[in-house]
Amino acid sequence: MITDLQIIDAIPQVLKTIDIPQLGAKQQGKVRDFYFDNNQRILITTDRQSAFDVILGHIPYKGAVLNQLSAFWFEQCQDIIENHMISVPDANVMIGKNCEGVPVEMIVRGYITGSTKTSIWYSYINGQRTIYGIDFPDGLKKNEKLSQPVITPTTHAEQGGHDERLTREEIISNGLVSEELYSQMEQTALALFEKGSEICEKAGLMLVDTKYEFGLYEGKLIQIDEMHTPDSSRFWIKDTYAERFANNEEPENFDKEFLRLWYAQQGYTGMGNPPEMDQQLIVAVAKRYVEVYEKITGKEFEVFQYPIEERIKENLKKAGIL
Ligand SMILES: Nc1ncnc2c1ncn2[C@@H]1O[C@H](COP(=O)(O)OP(=O)(O)O)[C@@H](O)[C@H]1O
Ligand SMILES: [Mg+2]
């Protein structure tokens, strides 16, 4: 198990970004740096921590956790849909098939919860019963299991933008995605969610909600980006859920909600400059990421020495990419 000291030692040298000019112009998402040509996308998962669509700081080992956890899930779920993963030449790097992105993110939710304005709970307590075009019954309680998982799609915003809510009808009538392709995305997202829930349950976790991204590769729908990570999903602890739910207490979470709550306590909800993360928070978040990885995969996380920029370049050389 990773120690507090290993995390604290790594803080000054975390992977914030990586420049590899030989690969062309660096592109950046909130968390990943990437380079691509016509066929491949080299995705380097950094240690950047985002929430509220803002970079809040950096968490040691987070990039490696996200990347390796995604690799685990892509392997587990490739029987449901082909995914972009070609190889993982380094703990922080995935080589993916470079796709034309589908401009809609598929969010699947098994429970009614959340604190942000895009959450269904936010709309529900404000009296709405048709949310994202889906009808919800009266009398639901926060954190209650839905009778079946629902899909709440959003736009995939350009850099710096916020994802906007969509309905199935809007997506199809605006021509963002054809009806045929959208139906395939729906079926796939639900199948992935079901399999993910089963695997999480065996690990003592509940997959509460998650986001999937898809792309088109040689005309075919494939899954891209990341999968069932604490950045793209909410996880709760199974053991304590029922009792807490019955007592109107918040479930024990194992994801970014913990971080959102810390910021909320500081009075920050995403506007303006975020307060700086203190060391205690960084350690707690890093441990959670590592723990989620270990619980889900059943493998011990391999702690490494920072800095890692040179290691990444060496591994890209060995893989014949540099
Ligand atoms: N195989 C792929 N083909 C094309 N685009 C991809 C692929 N995998 C991931 N992406 C895109 O690359 C970017 C990865 O960076 P990330 O930090 O995750 O961005 P974001 O801030 O949108 O979450 C995202 O825009 C994602 O949609
Ligand atoms: Mg992303």
Side-chain angles (χ1 to χ4, degrees), residues 32 211 213 225-226:
R32 291 171 188 79
K211 178 207 71 177
E213 289 186 32
D225 204 49
E226 64 180 328

Side-chain angles (χ1 to χ4, degrees), residues 28-34 41 43 48 50 84-85 96-101 105 156-157 159 163 211 213-215 222-226:
Q28 291 188 294
K30 288 185 287 290
V31 173
R32 291 171 188 79
D33 283 1
F34 53 93
R41 178 171 289 229
L43 290 144
R48 296 196 288 270
S50 87
H84 72 156
M85 182 167 69
K97 294 172 185 147
N98 191 37
C99 295
E100 183 195 329
E105 300 190 349
H156 182 56
Q159 211 183 331
D163 296 341
K211 178 207 71 177
E213 289 186 32
F214 296 97
I222 73 168
Q223 197 192 351
I224 63 168
D225 204 49
E226 64 180 328

Side-chain angles (χ1 to χ4, degrees), residues 167-182:
T167 64
R168 185 183 209 279
E169 286 62 40
E170 286 165 344
I171 291 165
I172 294 163
S173 67
N174 295 345
L176 284 173
V177 180
S178 72
E179 178 158 20
E180 192 192 346
L181 193 64
Y182 191 70

Side-chain angles (χ1 to χ4, degrees), residues 143-196:
N143 306 324
E144 187 162 347
K145 187 171 185 172
L146 296 167
S147 56
Q148 54 189 36
V150 298
I151 297 174
T152 58
T154 65
T155 54
H156 182 56
E158 293 298 312
Q159 211 183 331
H162 289 274
D163 296 341
E164 302 288 341
R165 285 178 179 210
L166 290 167
T167 64
R168 185 183 209 279
E169 286 62 40
E170 286 165 344
I171 291 165
I172 294 163
S173 67
N174 295 345
L176 284 173
V177 180
S178 72
E179 178 158 20
E180 192 192 346
L181 193 64
Y182 191 70
S183 298
Q184 197 188 342
M185 286 163 61
E186 286 176 317
Q187 281 168 22
T188 306
L190 292 174
L192 292 172
F193 191 73
E194 194 179 323
K195 180 142 186 187

